[in-house]
Amino acid sequence: MKFSINNSPKTVARYGYPDWRKKLILMLLIGSLSLLVVSLICLNFGVTSIHPRVILSILGNKAGDKTTGLIIWQLRAPRIVLGVITGAALSTVGGAFQGILRNPLADPYILGVSAGAALGACLGITLQHLTGYFFTSYLPFFAFIGAMFSLYLVYLSSKISYSANSTGLLLAGVAISFLFSALITILMAISHKELQSMVFWLMGGLSTANWQTIGIITPPTLMGCLLLFFSALDLNALSLGEEEALYLGVNTGRLRIRIFLVGSLVTAMVVSFTGIIGFVGLVIPHIARLLVGPDHRLMLPASAFLGGIFLVLCDTLARTVIAPIEIPIGAITALVGAPLFIYLLRKENK
Amino acid sequence: MTDHEHILTLKGVYFSYNHKREILSDINFYSTKGELLGIIGPNGSGKTTLLKIISGVLRPQRGEIYFLNQSLNKLPIEQIAQFISVVPQDTWVTLNFKAKEVVFMGRLPFISRLKGETLKDYQISQEAMEKTQSLSLAENNIQEISGGERQRVFMAKALAQTPRLLLLDEFTSHLDLSYKYEMLKLLKTALKEEGLTIISVFHDLNLASLASHRLILLKEGKIEQIGTPPEVLTAENLQRVYGVKPFIINHPVLQVPQVIM
């Protein structure tokens, strides 16, 4: 009887249930602090290394050298902020998708959003190549349209085959992904001179980061992640099974549509600027679960922080390891993430 | 309000998946406050489907379901969960929650997603665990306890939902004899003292006879007979429904029929 032993009146009143709100606040504090420290450290690294004291004085607006200020403010800082937002968004969506599908292998791209975004962007690049007009800054727009189109197709085909249940949506997502991959390959063959820029969309990267981009994606991403967070209790209930969740008054049909729609929108938003960054949304939720337990009210925010930190670190590696050449960040996330994931799984099973 | 008010009434209920074979046809019955109504019948006779229809997870194609005087047909699941709770046959939990966290989920129909839970929700969860003797399991991971222990935890969760109607689907199937006995005692107390009403599917006819005030005998989705255990558990009825003729003897203490081969 673990409940009655504790004599502190406050704990007795909580009946052995720890206060998750306090845990959440503590996590927000630790998370923000680590995020800040990691970001400041990563500001140091790059093609030219800049002394931390110089960075602090630039950030404190006591700037000296103009070029250095430009590198910090216009190149590295937005890149780090974009990394944080992207990592946080992909990980939160991944966690929510794993919850709604009751499947540990789910990731933010499971409904084919990634293939759609990549196809949209590659279509834009091919058009550039064929027409000779350049509209590189509009490529995110193409990518977003592609992502939305794939989502629409998934929804349509799932409606034809099954009712809008998870399996139907999943299968439709897989089918659409394959179809779009085939189309991308054809586009690559047509405009093979643009291969380099197409690979960017398939492997992802944060090099397009600027403050304008961040201004565009931050509000909807933040709102989407908050919406997912407020479905945390429903996702908890769903771990007992679809029917059990219904018995607990969770409208699972509506929950599924809400999570899929919000999650895919957030993913599309991010992927349209960064390309497909894999592995973050799959691995980070598992690490978060190992650290804070399965409760989505803690697990989703933990995923956001861990994902942000992880992606900023990966990006720093991507742009420094063989500088000035940049490695696609998707390669780094997989390279770091896969062994880490297997190690954790082994540890969990022991 | 009398003690014998009809808490649940089904009128002419039909159900089929995708309008194919009818799983349930022309189901009519009521259940009075404070009674334990047992549902028996062979495999595939529609017992579990009937529970799902009552709980609102499945909606009937025809017919009406009333809880007191309120129609359940169009009532959203969020509201039904505030007065009907269910203990399913067995469930596998995909995430490794602690037992006490699973019990606490019984409070979900009453928790605002924006404001979160209150101390009262914890208190009710704790009481439900005490009643079902699952308090000692509170800190255990739900994936790592036995089937019988899990059933007690799920019973606690269903009670934490503070239902007025409790639906059970062969809830004793994994329980040891001693816990089976304790659980029946607990349910009888809940019926008497808390005004709970229980509808339970039984696979074990003898347990059904011991526990229920009245029995519904289902055959191929139709009600074959409703009545007290001595009225329903006759050799003729059982032969008609199950196809074999058993012996019926009288329980030496409780004076209810018991079925032996």
Side-chain angles (χ1 to χ4, degrees):
Chain A
M1 302 272 163
K2 281 173 182 157
F3 289 102
S4 44
I5 297 168
N6 204 323
N7 286 325
S8 138
K10 225 176 172 181
T11 345
V12 169
R14 298 199 58 83
Y15 305 98
Y17 284 92
D19 195 341
W20 71 274
R21 292 185 186 89
K22 273 186 195 156
K23 278 191 187 171
L24 183 65
I25 290 169
L26 187 71
M27 189 205 301
L28 291 179
L29 284 175
I30 296 175
S32 326
L33 204 67
S34 343
L35 210 52
L36 199 69
V37 170
V38 168
S39 302
L40 282 176
I41 291 172
C42 289
L43 267 179
N44 276 314
F45 295 101
V47 181
T48 53
S49 97
I50 301 166
H51 197 276
R53 210 181 303 144
V54 180
I55 291 176
L56 285 180
S57 74
I58 286 171
L59 291 180
N61 242 337
K62 286 173 247 160
D65 179 22
K66 231 181 179 171
T67 334
T68 324
L70 213 63
I71 290 176
I72 295 294
W73 273 118
Q74 296 307 323
L75 287 175
R76 289 189 195 169
R79 205 168 158 148
I80 283 171
V81 175
L82 185 66
V84 170
I85 294 166
T86 306
L90 291 178
S91 306
T92 310
V93 173
F97 277 12
Q98 286 169 11
I100 196 79
L101 290 166
R102 306 180 75 210
N103 187 334
L105 288 175
D107 73 0
Y109 307 132
I110 200 130
L111 290 189
V113 171
S114 52
L119 180 65
C122 290
L123 211 62
I125 293 168
T126 312
L127 277 178
Q128 278 185 2
H129 179 70
L130 293 178
T131 59
Y133 288 109
F134 281 91
F135 38 80
T136 312
S137 54
Y138 289 105
L139 284 182
F141 181 69
F142 275 85
F144 190 75
I145 297 288
M148 286 303 102
F149 181 62
S150 74
L151 207 60
Y152 176 68
L153 280 189
V154 166
Y155 178 69
L156 267 192
S157 48
S158 78
K159 244 178 137 182
I160 295 165
S161 58
Y162 299 81
S163 54
N165 64 17
S166 306
T167 327
L169 282 171
L170 270 183
L171 292 177
V174 171
I176 302 281
S177 290
F178 272 112
L179 180 71
F180 280 17
S181 296
L183 291 176
I184 291 169
T185 315
I186 294 171
L187 287 181
M188 281 178 144
I190 293 174
S191 44
H192 50 91
K193 277 182 194 150
E194 308 288 334
L195 221 53
Q196 186 82 42
S197 46
M198 285 188 175
V199 166
F200 165 83
W201 289 97
L202 294 175
M203 292 304 284
L206 300 176
S207 53
T208 56
N210 58 51
W211 292 116
Q212 200 193 349
T213 309
I214 289 164
I216 293 171
I217 69 169
T218 307
T221 307
L222 205 66
M223 247 166 53
C225 290
L226 271 178
L227 257 169
L228 294 178
F229 172 73
F230 281 112
S231 302
L233 276 178
D234 303 283
L235 289 173
N236 285 353
L238 208 63
S239 76
L240 306 183
E242 174 96 27
E243 233 165 64
E244 268 294 298
L246 285 168
Y247 295 147
L248 292 173
V250 176
N251 188 328
T252 52
R254 220 186 300 151
L255 178 72
R256 198 159 29 229
I257 290 172
R258 188 167 72 224
I259 300 276
F260 277 146
L261 209 67
V262 172
S264 293
L265 271 170
V266 167
T267 309
M269 202 73 212
V270 168
V271 169
S272 298
F273 288 97
T274 65
I276 308 162
I277 300 175
F279 238 79
V280 187
L282 173 68
V283 179
I284 297 295
H286 287 272
I287 298 175
R289 228 175 267 125
L290 286 177
L291 286 178
V292 301
D295 188 342
H296 287 86
R297 292 178 299 183
L298 296 174
M299 188 278 252
L300 289 180
S303 296
F305 280 116
L306 288 171
I309 291 170
F310 179 73
L311 205 64
V312 169
L313 288 175
C314 283
D315 184 52
T316 307
L317 277 180
R319 62 191 166 88
T320 53
V321 172
I322 46 167
I325 297 169
E326 233 183 73
I327 305 170
I329 191 168
I332 301 282
T333 53
L335 217 59
V336 177
L340 186 69
F341 193 39
I342 292 168
Y343 167 74
L344 286 171
L345 284 182
R346 271 181 61 110
K347 222 175 120 192
E348 198 181 13
N349 282 343
K350 267 180 191 167
Chain B
M1 287 219 229
T2 61
D3 251 7
H4 295 290
E5 63 180 316
H6 295 183
I7 198 146
L8 183 85
T9 314
L10 272 75
K11 282 184 182 161
V13 167
Y14 285 80
F15 178 79
S16 63
Y17 290 101
N18 304 326
H19 300 275
K20 284 173 197 153
R21 185 173 67 98
E22 260 173 10
I23 308 289
L24 294 173
S25 42
D26 198 23
I27 302 289
N28 295 284
F29 71 88
Y30 61 84
S31 135
T32 50
K33 191 177 169 188
E35 88 169 332
L36 198 160
L37 182 63
I39 303 174
I40 53 173
N43 295 331
S45 58
K47 302 189 292 281
T48 300
T49 310
L50 184 52
L51 278 197
K52 286 182 185 172
I53 289 274
I54 298 170
S55 64
V57 168
L58 296 176
R59 305 286 182 163
Q61 271 91 23
R62 269 192 288 158
E64 287 286 329
I65 305 172
Y66 296 97
F67 182 83
L68 295 173
N69 288 321
Q70 184 179 19
S71 169
L72 289 189
N73 288 44
K74 296 251 157 61
L75 204 65
I77 200 98
E78 291 92 331
Q79 287 179 40
I80 295 180
Q82 293 187 345
F83 50 79
I84 298 181
S85 74
V86 184
V87 182
Q89 256 179 55
D90 200 10
T91 41
W92 174 248
V93 184
T94 43
L95 296 174
N96 213 352
F97 280 104
K98 285 181 177 168
K100 66 178 182 190
E101 292 172 315
V102 172
V103 174
F104 166 75
M105 288 184 201
R107 300 303 302 156
L108 282 192
F110 307 96
I111 295 174
S112 148
R113 296 300 187 265
L114 279 176
K115 290 180 196 150
E117 68 273 22
T118 63
L119 275 180
K120 197 175 153 231
D121 294 309
Y122 294 133
Q123 184 190 358
I124 293 171
S125 309
Q126 155 102 355
E127 281 168 9
M129 277 189 281
E130 276 167 8
K131 278 186 207 161
T132 52
Q133 303 182 327
S134 54
L135 201 51
S136 57
L137 301 169
E139 300 291 330
N140 289 52
N141 288 330
I142 193 77
Q143 292 177 345
E144 288 149 23
I145 59 180
S146 73
E149 290 172 329
R150 201 159 52 238
Q151 252 168 345
R152 271 149 59 206
V153 171
F154 272 83
M155 177 64 92
K157 181 188 67 85
L159 291 182
Q161 215 172 327
T162 54
R164 301 193 50 195
L165 176 62
L166 178 62
L167 306 179
L168 309 173
D169 196 350
E170 292 185 36
F171 75 102
T172 54
S173 55
H174 291 275
L175 291 180
D176 293 336
L177 197 59
S178 64
Y179 280 118
K180 220 178 247 191
Y181 179 77
E182 288 297 330
M183 212 55 95
L184 282 179
K185 223 169 68 182
L186 159 77
L187 292 181
K188 295 253 167 176
T189 325
L191 292 172
K192 255 194 216 130
E193 288 170 12
E194 290 167 35
L196 190 69
T197 307
I198 300 175
I199 299 179
S200 174
V201 164
F202 287 100
H203 198 66
D204 180 345
L205 296 179
N206 292 334
L207 192 67
S209 173
L210 286 171
S212 313
H213 297 105
R214 288 191 305 146
L215 287 174
I216 293 179
L217 180 59
L218 282 179
K219 185 195 176 191
E220 289 161 11
K222 293 189 183 71
I223 292 182
E224 187 74 16
Q225 195 170 359
I226 308 181
T228 59
E231 286 167 2
V232 174
L233 292 174
T234 62
E236 294 74 34
N237 276 345
L238 294 180
Q239 188 182 20
R240 230 182 18 255
V241 172
Y242 288 88
V244 285
K245 189 162 186 172
F247 297 99
I248 309 288
I249 57 169
N250 221 12
H251 192 284
V253 179
L254 297 166
Q255 302 298 323
V256 291
Q258 294 288 287
V259 182
I260 55 171
M261 292 305 288

